[in-house]
Amino acid sequence: MKTNVKISGSQLAGILFLSQVFALLNFTPPGNNEVKPWLVLLGILIGFVVKVLFFVPFYVLLGREKEKNLIDVGYHAFGKGGVIFAILFLVYLVFIAGVTTAQFTSFLNDRLFTGTSQLIICITLVLAALYGAYMGIEAIARTASIAAFLLILSVVFVGVAVIPRVEVLNLKAFLPPSAQELWQYTLPFISMPTDLLLFALLRPQMKGNTKKSVIGSFALTTAVLWVSTFFIYTVLGGLASRVTFPFYTLSTLAEVSIFRRLDSVHMMIWVFVTFIRLSVIQFCIARVLGYMLPFKVRRSYPAIGAALVLALSIWFTSRYGIFYGAYLFQYTPFVMVLFVLLIPAVLLVGQLIRKKGKNEEKN
Amino acid sequence: MKKRISCLLLCLLLIWSLCGCVKTVQLNERAIVEAIGIDYQNGAYVVTLRLLDPNEPDAEGFLSVSEGETILDAIDHANRKQGREIFYNHNNLLVMGQQAAETGLTYLTGLMDAAGHARPNTSVVLARGKASEVIAVSAKEGLSAKELDTAIENEEKSGAVLKAYLIDVAKRLNDGSGSFLLPTVSANEDSLMLDGAGLVKSGKLAGFLNTDDLRGYLWLAGNLEDAVFTANDEEYGNFTLAIKNSKGEIVPTLQDGKLGFSMKVTVKAHIPILKNGEEIAQDREKQQKLMATAELAIQNELLHTLDLFQKKNADVFRLEERLSQRYPKEQEERRKVEGPTVFQLPTKITVSVHFIGL
């Protein structure tokens, strides 16, 4: 696995964008009983602002530390106790990779190729991602740039093609929301901080302006999500909350002149997106394993990580109830509070205490 | 060296997945569905599938009829009856029999949800009679489902029929009112006739609209193009407008605290040639008189259709939703006091016809 290569800020932005926009594939708008499209659209915009705020502690911790990731910062602040952060990151990344694999497997199995073996899809996805992880972050980043371009092109095509079907009436009335409603509709867009955590781990692999790259990726994700959600609501209306894969349903309706029935082409792009997301997560898992396993087995880190992901994804695909619970869990505030608020806060405090100690030693 | 061997092994493992993860079905082992007809008779659903013969794609194909307690049950029986694997992805048309539509259409959403039985952009038509007859005549006449679909598309512009996709039906069924129109087709011995529409209310067929009634709806809801409209003038007799295009608009209004609607229809039409062959291109006065006559005739047609919807209490224009979007508070209050129905609210109708040159 190539670990000493650096990627540019825009390449990092591409990776973060793809890893986050994957949520669109299975995106079901919040609000089961009463659909409030304006609130969902507002929630996406507020989500952007909140995520920028979430980025501040990460920037304070890593903005100037060019050679350290968040776990390094943990080790620096707490010595051997830093392994706790490595364990937490490993658990989260394996969990997210497992859910992603199971989610995409279920999508392929439910919508595109019914009757396919879920086991084979899981194995293929994880193996392909393992190959990506072995190729290193630069190879992933180059592929991500192409995938991001294709995805944006696909969203634009779907958007343009469904314009004749847009019914603004489906947006319903905009009523000033209560604080509770705002929270309820913003939470899904801020609760899964995969992009922030990937940045926290990939920091030493990047060069260039971190602020610009990360906030740029947030902005791009927000724009794609907002536009897609707008079309999902105005075209599908109340049905948006009933269908399992609203964006896929939208793509089945996208026809322009001789370009028809391109849903499978759109979905090929999603395969690409899933591959990137899984590759980068598996790459990060391998890096995290480096803090826990002996150095002499370093070449096996990606394979060990892939085995963990595969085992979890197979378990998820064979137990729908557990998978559904896991899928919902990733959107709970727990993950967000732990990784975006608690861990950075603890590290900041740890850093401050260490600095203070050093200063006292000097004096 | 070890790394190269690892990469090679990984590639070999990936090749293993290239053989695919579903069993191979050869084309001659497939029965490709082109159209589905759904009927309801004697307490059971009857599904008629028009299947293409992959060996002779230009032939009229063959029909497969099966029965079941539910639609999916009937489709499942069709699968079992066929020696081939039924392939639904190329299905272009869904024909609902009259009785099946009267029983209820809510299961159509389920048909879209169920894996691959019908794509969201499948055309839906309502048969005046049995769906199986429509499917049989279309097969006998060699009229492909795609051709029938194109015919509906063209006729919609002329105002004789309107087009509906499965996704639209699913959307309206999901709405509060559940009222919408479906194109209708009737089968004679050797021909199919597209005319008018079926009115669906609360998910069930509630009646039919003839072509004139439907045009009343399309003035407001659709975009008529290249249609013709004949009106009668006391002085000049019958004259026909060749409509270039027409657009309708419904805007909720609030005047003196009272909710209402403003309905506007704008028509662009070629200057008519009168019954006696007289041209009026240069006669401004005659043009204005005929314009006023045409505007009145269109308005009457529109009022007639609104009256029809009112009698059926079918909110096809989604008037309640329009009020809720534009004036949510006032609409909520209106609903609380249970005042006049949405059709009884003050409505201002404006029709303007613009003649354009030859």
Side-chain angles (χ1 to χ4, degrees):
Chain A
M1 190 171 71
K2 295 171 187 172
T3 54
N4 53 351
V5 189
K6 295 217 174 200
I7 56 170
S8 68
S10 56
Q11 283 179 322
L12 180 84
I15 288 178
L16 300 186
F17 163 66
L18 286 184
S19 65
Q20 201 64 6
V21 88
F22 174 80
L24 185 61
L25 178 69
N26 211 25
F27 172 63
T28 309
N32 290 327
N33 300 326
E34 196 189 351
V35 184
K36 293 181 176 174
W38 277 115
L39 276 185
V40 182
L41 293 170
L42 189 66
I44 294 173
L45 296 178
I46 297 173
F48 168 71
V49 179
V50 175
K51 285 198 86 170
V52 172
L53 293 175
F54 281 168
F55 174 62
V56 175
F58 284 84
Y59 183 70
V60 173
L61 283 165
L62 300 166
R64 283 169 203 162
E65 298 276 6
K66 288 184 179 172
E67 299 303 325
K68 279 183 188 162
N69 63 30
L70 209 66
I71 299 172
D72 293 328
V73 174
Y75 270 100
H76 188 68
F78 298 101
K80 284 184 179 174
V83 75
I84 293 169
F85 300 105
I87 292 169
L88 285 173
F89 269 86
L90 179 70
V91 170
Y92 179 72
L93 290 173
V94 171
F95 171 75
I96 284 294
V99 172
T100 303
T101 312
Q103 193 179 329
F104 196 72
T105 303
S106 118
F107 168 69
L108 282 180
N109 198 260
D110 281 359
R111 282 286 157 226
L112 291 187
F113 312 109
T114 44
T116 48
S117 160
Q118 298 202 16
L119 181 71
I120 290 181
I121 299 176
C122 278
I123 294 173
T124 311
L125 272 174
V126 174
L127 277 181
L130 173 62
Y131 176 73
Y134 264 121
M135 286 292 103
I137 195 67
E138 199 197 13
I140 297 172
R142 282 174 190 273
T143 320
S145 309
I146 302 166
F149 173 74
L150 289 175
L151 181 73
I152 292 168
L153 203 69
S154 147
V155 171
V156 169
F157 177 84
V158 171
V160 170
V162 297
I163 282 174
R165 290 175 167 274
V166 166
E167 289 178 89
V168 184
L169 190 58
N170 291 336
L171 286 179
K172 302 195 174 177
F174 177 76
L175 297 167
S178 63
Q180 194 194 346
E181 276 180 324
L182 265 187
W183 166 249
Q184 184 198 342
Y185 281 85
T186 307
L187 185 64
F189 305 106
I190 56 170
S191 54
M192 198 169 58
T194 319
D195 46 0
L196 272 173
L197 300 189
L198 290 179
F199 160 72
L201 292 172
L202 293 174
R203 175 65 183 109
Q205 263 77 49
M206 80 160 284
K207 54 190 177 191
N209 190 331
T210 47
K211 222 179 351 178
K212 219 168 135 183
S213 325
V214 176
I215 295 177
S217 80
F218 289 170
L220 195 59
T221 311
T222 305
V224 169
L225 264 180
W226 200 93
V227 169
S228 309
T229 309
F230 174 81
F231 284 118
I232 284 173
Y233 271 121
T234 50
V235 174
L236 300 182
L239 210 60
S241 302
R242 284 200 58 196
V243 291
T244 328
F245 301 101
F247 188 76
Y248 173 71
T249 307
L250 202 67
S251 71
T252 59
L253 298 170
E255 296 180 346
V256 176
S257 185
I258 54 165
F259 299 104
R260 291 179 174 202
R261 310 192 70 162
L262 293 179
D263 44 325
S264 291
V265 178
H266 292 300
M267 290 313 124
M268 267 170 56
I269 296 168
W270 282 106
V271 175
F272 218 9
V273 173
T274 313
F275 164 70
I276 300 292
R277 181 177 156 98
L278 276 176
S279 297
V280 74
I281 295 177
Q282 287 198 26
F283 176 84
C284 288
I285 290 173
R287 303 238 45 202
V288 176
L289 280 171
Y291 293 92
M292 290 178 250
L293 298 176
F295 184 71
K296 61 181 176 185
V297 292
R298 66 188 182 282
R299 290 190 189 283
S300 307
Y301 293 163
I304 295 167
L308 291 172
V309 173
L310 185 61
L312 193 66
S313 58
I314 290 172
W315 187 52
F316 280 152
T317 48
S318 60
R319 302 271 190 282
Y320 182 76
I322 291 169
F323 166 57
Y324 189 62
Y327 173 75
L328 292 180
F329 178 73
Q330 62 180 340
Y331 289 105
T332 55
F334 172 77
V335 175
M336 178 188 79
V337 170
L338 178 66
F339 285 96
V340 179
L341 302 177
L342 212 59
I343 290 179
V346 169
L347 289 175
L348 277 171
V349 171
Q351 256 190 351
L352 278 176
I353 293 170
R354 198 176 160 81
K355 265 186 190 173
K356 214 177 167 185
K358 270 189 180 176
N359 286 342
E360 277 172 7
E361 266 177 32
K362 272 184 190 175
N363 293 335
Chain B
M1 192 62 190
K2 269 185 189 173
K3 195 179 163 188
R4 282 184 185 173
I5 293 168
S6 308
C7 273
L8 197 69
L9 281 174
L10 205 57
C11 290
L12 284 172
L13 275 172
L14 281 170
I15 287 171
W16 173 54
S17 67
L18 292 179
C19 59
C21 24
V22 275
K23 71 178 172 77
T24 316
V25 182
Q26 299 300 331
L27 196 57
N28 60 358
E29 293 166 353
R30 276 200 193 283
I32 299 167
V33 177
E34 208 196 355
I36 302 179
I38 298 170
D39 285 305
Y40 185 78
Q41 52 196 47
N42 305 325
Y45 283 97
V46 180
V47 169
T48 310
L49 302 178
R50 184 177 165 189
L51 302 164
L52 283 179
D53 190 344
N55 298 320
E56 288 180 70
D58 292 332
E60 64 187 44
F62 55 98
L63 302 180
S64 165
V65 182
S66 59
E67 210 176 291
E69 284 183 23
T70 63
I71 305 268
L72 288 178
D73 189 27
I75 287 176
D76 187 46
H77 285 170
N79 291 346
R80 272 182 270 157
K81 269 174 74 173
Q82 279 295 320
R84 304 172 184 192
E85 185 160 313
I86 298 187
F87 187 68
Y88 291 95
N89 285 18
H90 287 297
N91 176 29
N92 279 315
L93 190 68
L94 200 59
V95 186
M96 297 301 304
Q98 189 174 334
Q99 216 178 334
E102 280 164 357
T103 314
L105 293 163
T106 41
Y107 47 76
L108 283 180
T109 313
L111 204 60
M112 194 179 75
D113 285 344
H117 284 124
R119 289 168 60 86
N121 54 358
T122 306
S123 262
V124 182
V125 294
L126 192 66
R128 289 186 190 241
K130 284 187 177 177
S132 58
E133 287 169 6
V134 172
I135 300 276
V137 172
S138 71
K140 193 175 146 193
E141 293 302 305
L143 185 67
S144 73
K146 187 70 198 161
E147 283 166 340
L148 196 60
D149 186 40
T150 312
I152 296 169
E153 208 165 283
N154 293 335
E155 287 297 302
E156 186 185 32
K157 288 177 187 167
S158 68
V161 77
L162 88 166
K163 194 169 163 69
Y165 291 106
L166 185 56
I167 186 83
D168 302 320
V169 175
K171 267 159 63 181
R172 293 289 91 84
L173 286 170
N174 197 53
D175 289 340
S177 74
S179 300
F180 56 94
L181 299 178
L182 281 176
T184 50
V185 58
S186 44
N188 297 323
E189 269 183 22
D190 54 359
S191 68
L192 292 176
M193 179 75 182
L194 290 164
D195 60 340
L199 171 65
V200 178
K201 193 196 154 195
S202 306
K204 289 180 181 178
L205 178 66
F208 288 102
L209 272 71
N210 62 32
T211 315
D212 289 346
D213 298 335
L214 176 64
R215 200 172 46 220
Y217 166 83
L218 287 173
W219 287 123
L220 267 178
N223 295 320
L224 293 180
E225 282 175 39
D226 302 325
V228 288
F229 175 67
T230 302
N232 181 271
D233 185 83
E234 281 179 4
E235 196 179 335
Y236 302 107
N238 282 349
F239 65 97
T240 300
L241 293 180
I243 296 163
K244 185 74 183 153
N245 64 54
S246 92
K247 277 190 178 136
E249 191 186 12
I250 304 172
V251 182
T253 55
L254 181 68
Q255 277 183 341
D256 306 325
K258 282 184 179 174
L259 290 168
F261 294 98
S262 162
M263 297 182 179
K264 205 186 270 182
V265 177
T266 311
V267 181
K268 280 184 184 167
H270 289 296
I271 295 172
I273 297 170
L274 299 180
K275 209 175 174 182
N276 57 10
E278 185 186 347
E279 284 191 21
I280 58 162
Q282 306 300 324
D283 194 333
R284 187 86 187 132
E285 202 179 312
K286 275 185 188 172
Q287 275 181 27
Q288 278 180 343
K289 175 136 192 352
L290 291 177
M291 254 195 280
T293 309
E295 282 166 1
L296 193 68
I298 291 170
Q299 188 166 338
N300 285 338
E301 210 164 61
L302 222 159
L303 282 170
H304 172 73
T305 307
L306 280 171
D307 187 49
L308 199 140
F309 290 148
Q310 183 182 359
K311 278 178 190 157
K312 298 271 183 190
N313 197 19
D315 187 5
V316 177
F317 290 114
R318 301 170 75 188
L319 298 174
E320 293 278 2
E321 282 180 72
R322 286 174 201 270
L323 287 174
S324 297
Q325 189 187 47
R326 189 75 178 259
Y327 302 108
K329 280 181 191 169
E330 290 79 0
Q331 167 72 345
E332 208 178 318
E333 278 167 26
R334 189 190 138 250
R335 277 183 175 163
K336 274 181 196 166
V337 295
E338 289 182 15
T341 67
V342 75
F343 293 101
Q344 290 165 329
L345 295 176
T347 302
K348 187 186 169 195
I349 297 176
T350 317
V351 180
S352 43
V353 176
H354 304 282
F355 285 156
I356 50 176
L358 289 169

mmCIF file of all heavy atoms in Angstrom, chain A residues 240-258:
data_model
loop_
_atom_site.group_PDB
_atom_site.id
_atom_site.type_symbol
_atom_site.label_atom_id
_atom_site.label_comp_id
_atom_site.label_asym_id
_atom_site.label_seq_id
_atom_site.Cartn_x
_atom_site.Cartn_y
_atom_site.Cartn_z
ATOM 1 N N ALA A 240 -42.427 10.442 -2.898
ATOM 2 C CA ALA A 240 -40.994 10.478 -2.569
ATOM 3 C C ALA A 240 -40.709 9.768 -1.250
ATOM 4 O O ALA A 240 -39.658 9.146 -1.092
ATOM 5 C CB ALA A 240 -40.514 11.924 -2.496
ATOM 6 N N SER A 241 -41.643 9.867 -0.320
ATOM 7 C CA SER A 241 -41.416 9.232 0.983
ATOM 8 C C SER A 241 -41.826 7.767 0.981
ATOM 9 O O SER A 241 -41.537 7.050 1.939
ATOM 10 C CB SER A 241 -42.209 9.957 2.074
ATOM 11 O OG SER A 241 -41.824 11.283 2.110
ATOM 12 N N ARG A 242 -42.490 7.329 -0.086
ATOM 13 C CA ARG A 242 -42.970 5.944 -0.110
ATOM 14 C C ARG A 242 -42.044 4.998 -0.856
ATOM 15 O O ARG A 242 -41.941 3.827 -0.518
ATOM 16 C CB ARG A 242 -44.364 5.886 -0.737
ATOM 17 C CG ARG A 242 -45.456 6.361 0.186
ATOM 18 C CD ARG A 242 -46.796 5.835 -0.261
ATOM 19 N NE ARG A 242 -46.831 4.395 -0.332
ATOM 20 C CZ ARG A 242 -47.761 3.697 -0.963
ATOM 21 N NH1 ARG A 242 -48.738 4.329 -1.563
ATOM 22 N NH2 ARG A 242 -47.730 2.392 -0.990
ATOM 23 N N VAL A 243 -41.407 5.511 -1.919
ATOM 24 C CA VAL A 243 -40.544 4.610 -2.691
ATOM 25 C C VAL A 243 -39.208 4.419 -1.966
ATOM 26 O O VAL A 243 -38.742 5.304 -1.262
ATOM 27 C CB VAL A 243 -40.310 5.106 -4.141
ATOM 28 C CG1 VAL A 243 -41.562 5.013 -4.964
ATOM 29 C CG2 VAL A 243 -39.778 6.523 -4.168
ATOM 30 N N THR A 244 -38.631 3.250 -2.161
ATOM 31 C CA THR A 244 -37.420 2.911 -1.407
ATOM 32 C C THR A 244 -36.202 3.686 -1.901
ATOM 33 O O THR A 244 -35.362 4.111 -1.128
ATOM 34 C CB THR A 244 -37.130 1.397 -1.524
ATOM 35 O OG1 THR A 244 -38.357 0.716 -1.639
ATOM 36 C CG2 THR A 244 -36.366 0.886 -0.341
ATOM 37 N N PHE A 245 -36.094 3.833 -3.213
ATOM 38 C CA PHE A 245 -34.938 4.540 -3.772
ATOM 39 C C PHE A 245 -35.442 5.690 -4.651
ATOM 40 O O PHE A 245 -35.532 5.554 -5.878
ATOM 41 C CB PHE A 245 -34.079 3.583 -4.600
ATOM 42 C CG PHE A 245 -33.556 2.415 -3.820
ATOM 43 C CD1 PHE A 245 -34.151 1.166 -3.913
ATOM 44 C CD2 PHE A 245 -32.476 2.566 -2.968
ATOM 45 C CE1 PHE A 245 -33.684 0.096 -3.188
ATOM 46 C CE2 PHE A 245 -32.005 1.493 -2.227
ATOM 47 C CZ PHE A 245 -32.601 0.256 -2.339
ATOM 48 N N PRO A 246 -35.814 6.822 -4.035
ATOM 49 C CA PRO A 246 -36.439 7.903 -4.815
ATOM 50 C C PRO A 246 -35.565 8.420 -5.958
ATOM 51 O O PRO A 246 -36.070 8.706 -7.034
ATOM 52 C CB PRO A 246 -36.687 9.006 -3.791
ATOM 53 C CG PRO A 246 -36.349 8.480 -2.482
ATOM 54 C CD PRO A 246 -35.681 7.175 -2.618
ATOM 55 N N PHE A 247 -34.255 8.506 -5.718
ATOM 56 C CA PHE A 247 -33.405 9.043 -6.791
ATOM 57 C C PHE A 247 -33.356 8.077 -7.965
ATOM 58 O O PHE A 247 -33.330 8.493 -9.124
ATOM 59 C CB PHE A 247 -31.993 9.341 -6.273
ATOM 60 C CG PHE A 247 -31.168 10.063 -7.297
ATOM 61 C CD1 PHE A 247 -31.374 11.417 -7.532
ATOM 62 C CD2 PHE A 247 -30.220 9.405 -8.045
ATOM 63 C CE1 PHE A 247 -30.643 12.088 -8.504
ATOM 64 C CE2 PHE A 247 -29.478 10.065 -9.016
ATOM 65 C CZ PHE A 247 -29.697 11.415 -9.239
ATOM 66 N N TYR A 248 -33.380 6.794 -7.672
ATOM 67 C CA TYR A 248 -33.392 5.806 -8.759
ATOM 68 C C TYR A 248 -34.703 5.911 -9.542
ATOM 69 O O TYR A 248 -34.703 5.883 -10.777
ATOM 70 C CB TYR A 248 -33.213 4.392 -8.189
ATOM 71 C CG TYR A 248 -33.380 3.328 -9.240
ATOM 72 C CD1 TYR A 248 -32.415 3.154 -10.228
ATOM 73 C CD2 TYR A 248 -34.516 2.522 -9.275
ATOM 74 C CE1 TYR A 248 -32.579 2.201 -11.214
ATOM 75 C CE2 TYR A 248 -34.677 1.564 -10.256
ATOM 76 C CZ TYR A 248 -33.706 1.403 -11.221
ATOM 77 O OH TYR A 248 -33.872 0.461 -12.203
ATOM 78 N N THR A 249 -35.823 6.065 -8.817
ATOM 79 C CA THR A 249 -37.121 6.214 -9.477
ATOM 80 C C THR A 249 -37.085 7.434 -10.399
ATOM 81 O O THR A 249 -37.597 7.399 -11.520
ATOM 82 C CB THR A 249 -38.256 6.356 -8.437
ATOM 83 O OG1 THR A 249 -38.157 5.277 -7.534
ATOM 84 C CG2 THR A 249 -39.624 6.351 -9.071
ATOM 85 N N LEU A 250 -36.451 8.504 -9.902
ATOM 86 C CA LEU A 250 -36.333 9.721 -10.709
ATOM 87 C C LEU A 250 -35.531 9.442 -11.978
ATOM 88 O O LEU A 250 -35.900 9.886 -13.074
ATOM 89 C CB LEU A 250 -35.628 10.788 -9.866
ATOM 90 C CG LEU A 250 -35.837 12.234 -10.267
ATOM 91 C CD1 LEU A 250 -37.280 12.646 -10.048
ATOM 92 C CD2 LEU A 250 -34.939 13.145 -9.445
ATOM 93 N N SER A 251 -34.459 8.691 -11.828
ATOM 94 C CA SER A 251 -33.605 8.426 -13.003
ATOM 95 C C SER A 251 -34.314 7.534 -14.022
ATOM 96 O O SER A 251 -34.019 7.616 -15.214
ATOM 97 C CB SER A 251 -32.265 7.826 -12.577
ATOM 98 O OG SER A 251 -32.456 6.516 -12.133
ATOM 99 N N THR A 252 -35.272 6.705 -13.559
ATOM 100 C CA THR A 252 -36.003 5.877 -14.533
ATOM 101 C C THR A 252 -36.926 6.747 -15.390
ATOM 102 O O THR A 252 -37.364 6.331 -16.453
ATOM 103 C CB THR A 252 -36.861 4.787 -13.845
ATOM 104 O OG1 THR A 252 -37.773 5.440 -12.976
ATOM 105 C CG2 THR A 252 -36.045 3.788 -13.094
ATOM 106 N N LEU A 253 -37.244 7.948 -14.893
ATOM 107 C CA LEU A 253 -38.136 8.836 -15.642
ATOM 108 C C LEU A 253 -37.373 9.774 -16.571
ATOM 109 O O LEU A 253 -37.961 10.500 -17.367
ATOM 110 C CB LEU A 253 -38.966 9.687 -14.674
ATOM 111 C CG LEU A 253 -39.903 8.935 -13.747
ATOM 112 C CD1 LEU A 253 -40.472 9.854 -12.699
ATOM 113 C CD2 LEU A 253 -41.023 8.295 -14.530
ATOM 114 N N ALA A 254 -36.050 9.772 -16.435
ATOM 115 C CA ALA A 254 -35.237 10.732 -17.197
ATOM 116 C C ALA A 254 -35.063 10.279 -18.641
ATOM 117 O O ALA A 254 -34.369 9.305 -18.916
ATOM 118 C CB ALA A 254 -33.888 10.893 -16.521
ATOM 119 N N GLU A 255 -35.732 10.964 -19.531
ATOM 120 C CA GLU A 255 -35.621 10.663 -20.960
ATOM 121 C C GLU A 255 -35.508 11.974 -21.723
ATOM 122 O O GLU A 255 -36.292 12.897 -21.498
ATOM 123 C CB GLU A 255 -36.876 9.953 -21.463
ATOM 124 C CG GLU A 255 -37.124 8.608 -20.844
ATOM 125 C CD GLU A 255 -38.389 7.950 -21.373
ATOM 126 O OE1 GLU A 255 -39.197 8.662 -22.008
ATOM 127 O OE2 GLU A 255 -38.559 6.751 -21.154
ATOM 128 N N VAL A 256 -34.535 12.077 -22.584
ATOM 129 C CA VAL A 256 -34.436 13.237 -23.454
ATOM 130 C C VAL A 256 -34.220 12.716 -24.864
ATOM 131 O O VAL A 256 -33.207 12.067 -25.144
ATOM 132 C CB VAL A 256 -33.271 14.173 -23.057
ATOM 133 C CG1 VAL A 256 -33.148 15.317 -24.052
ATOM 134 C CG2 VAL A 256 -33.471 14.733 -21.667
ATOM 135 N N SER A 257 -35.205 12.978 -25.717
ATOM 136 C CA SER A 257 -35.120 12.561 -27.121
ATOM 137 C C SER A 257 -34.772 11.075 -27.232
ATOM 138 O O SER A 257 -35.467 10.246 -26.685
ATOM 139 C CB SER A 257 -34.095 13.454 -27.831
ATOM 140 O OG SER A 257 -34.070 13.168 -29.187
ATOM 141 N N ILE A 258 -33.668 10.757 -27.911
ATOM 142 C CA ILE A 258 -33.334 9.337 -28.092
ATOM 143 C C ILE A 258 -32.651 8.740 -26.861
ATOM 144 O O ILE A 258 -32.441 7.535 -26.783
ATOM 145 C CB ILE A 258 -32.437 9.110 -29.331
ATOM 146 C CG1 ILE A 258 -31.199 9.997 -29.238
ATOM 147 C CG2 ILE A 258 -33.192 9.325 -30.620
ATOM 148 C CD1 ILE A 258 -30.095 9.587 -30.198
#
